[in-house]
Amino acid sequence: MRAGRARVPDYVAAVTVTTGGRTLPLGGVALPNRRLVLRWLRRQALRLADAHGRSLPPPAPWLGVRDVRPVAFHGSDAPAALRAWADDHGSQDHALNALESGFPALLTVVDPFVGLRVTLGAWPVDLWGWTAAASADHPSPRHLRTEGA
C-alpha cells in the first residue's frame, strides 16, 4: 500500500441456510467494493427466488464468481421476501450505507413451513491489515534456520 493512501476495506458476502439447528454455507465471495458485493447478493437473492418451483438460471459470467447452490423452498413467503429485498431501492441503499459505515448488511428470510432460514450477509473486512498482522506474527520460511542445513 502506498503511503498517504487511506486503507479501503474489502468486502465479503455469504449466503447460508439454517435448518434443524445446523447452518450450512451455500456460497460466498470476497470483492473489492461494497457495490459489487451488494450486486452479488442481489443476484443470489433473485436466483434463489426465481428458482422456486423451477430450475436455476445460468451462473453469472461477470467477475468469474460462483453463484450459490439452490435451496428448495416449501412455501412462497421466502422467495417473495428475497425478491422484494432485491427489487427495493431503499433496502439496497440501506445496505450500502451500512457497509460504508463499517457495519454488516444482513437479510434473513424464513420458510415457515419447515423452519428453513436463508441468510444473505455482507461485511467490510480489512484484508490488508489482517494479512499484515498475520505475516508479522509468523516470519517467512526463508528467515527460518533449518538445523543441519
Side-chain angles (χ1 to χ4, degrees):
M1 177 176 307
R2 289 180 248 167
R5 185 174 168 201
R7 183 178 302 178
V8 177
D10 287 311
Y11 296 85
V12 294
V15 179
T16 59
V17 63
T18 304
T19 184
R22 293 184 53 192
T23 300
L24 303 168
L26 295 178
V29 67
L31 293 167
N33 70 59
R34 64 186 184 278
R35 291 194 185 279
L36 289 176
V37 136
L38 216 44
R39 180 180 173 190
W40 184 84
L41 276 181
R42 184 177 177 276
R43 176 175 169 76
Q44 302 319 308
L46 290 172
R47 285 184 82 246
L48 290 170
D50 291 346
H52 181 61
R54 35 183 191 199
S55 60
L56 278 171
W62 57 276
L63 290 180
V65 294
R66 295 176 49 196
D67 288 317
V68 298
R69 293 184 294 243
V71 171
F73 293 109
H74 294 77
S76 61
D77 293 348
L82 288 167
R83 194 173 288 107
W85 176 81
D87 291 338
D88 181 36
H89 294 292
S91 294
Q92 301 303 306
D93 288 342
H94 179 72
L96 280 172
N97 291 335
L99 292 172
E100 184 177 26
S101 298
F103 295 106
L106 300 170
L107 169 71
T108 298
V109 297
V110 178
D111 184 343
F113 293 101
V114 292
L116 182 83
R117 298 169 59 91
V118 175
T119 301
L120 291 83
W123 302 265
V125 292
D126 183 359
L127 294 176
W128 287 105
W130 178 83
T131 304
S135 62
D137 290 340
H138 303 293
S140 169
R142 68 177 178 257
H143 297 296
L144 297 177
R145 184 170 177 239
T146 305
E147 292 300 319

